[in-house]
Amino acid sequence: MIPSRARFIEHRGARILLLDFAQAVDTTDSLQHIAEAKAFVATHAPGSLLVVTDITGSRFNREIVDAMVDLVRSNTAYVRAGAVVGLTGLTRVFYVTVSMVSGRRVPAFGTLEEAKDYLAGQA
C-alpha cells in the first residue's frame, strides 16, 4: 500500500516516486509519514527508484531531522537517483544537516518540474 504522502508520477517516460512532505507542520504526523515512506521504499528492488521529496512549507525540529536522516540512510540501497525541492532559509540548514549526517548528497532544485526533469534524465 502506498503511504498517504507518497505517489508515483510519470514524467518524460520515467516513473518517479513523489514523497510529498509539503506543508508538514505537525511533528507527530510528520514522523508517521516519514516512517510510512521508509517502509514503502524498502519494499522495492535495490536501485530501482527515482525519488523526489517535496518539503515546501514544512517545519522541522530535532526529531524530524533525525527521522529524515534515518530515511535517507535507509533508502540509499533502493534509490537510483533522488532530488529535493522546497528549500528556503531554515530548511536549507536542515538539508545540509541531513546531507552531512547521512553521508548522502541529494541534489536540490528550485521547482518540482526541475527535479522531475533531472530524475527523468537519470532513468
Side-chain angles (χ1 to χ4, degrees), residues 19-97:
L19 298 180
D20 186 1
F21 299 142
Q23 308 307 319
V25 296
D26 179 80
T27 298
T28 302
D29 288 346
S30 294
L31 293 173
Q32 178 181 340
H33 296 309
I34 293 166
E36 289 171 355
K38 178 182 171 183
F40 181 69
V41 166
T43 66
H44 292 80
S48 66
L49 294 173
L50 301 171
V51 179
V52 60
T53 304
D54 185 354
I55 60 170
T56 304
S58 296
R59 292 189 188 146
F60 299 92
N61 58 33
R62 188 67 193 160
E63 284 180 279
I64 294 171
V65 169
D66 289 346
M68 288 299 285
V69 166
D70 183 51
L71 173 65
V72 171
R73 279 183 178 157
S74 69
N75 76 9
T76 299
Y78 306 99
V79 177
R80 182 178 335 146
V84 65
V85 297
L87 299 178
T88 58
L90 287 176
T91 56
R92 286 193 189 282
V93 173
F94 154 77
Y95 168 76
V96 169
T97 300

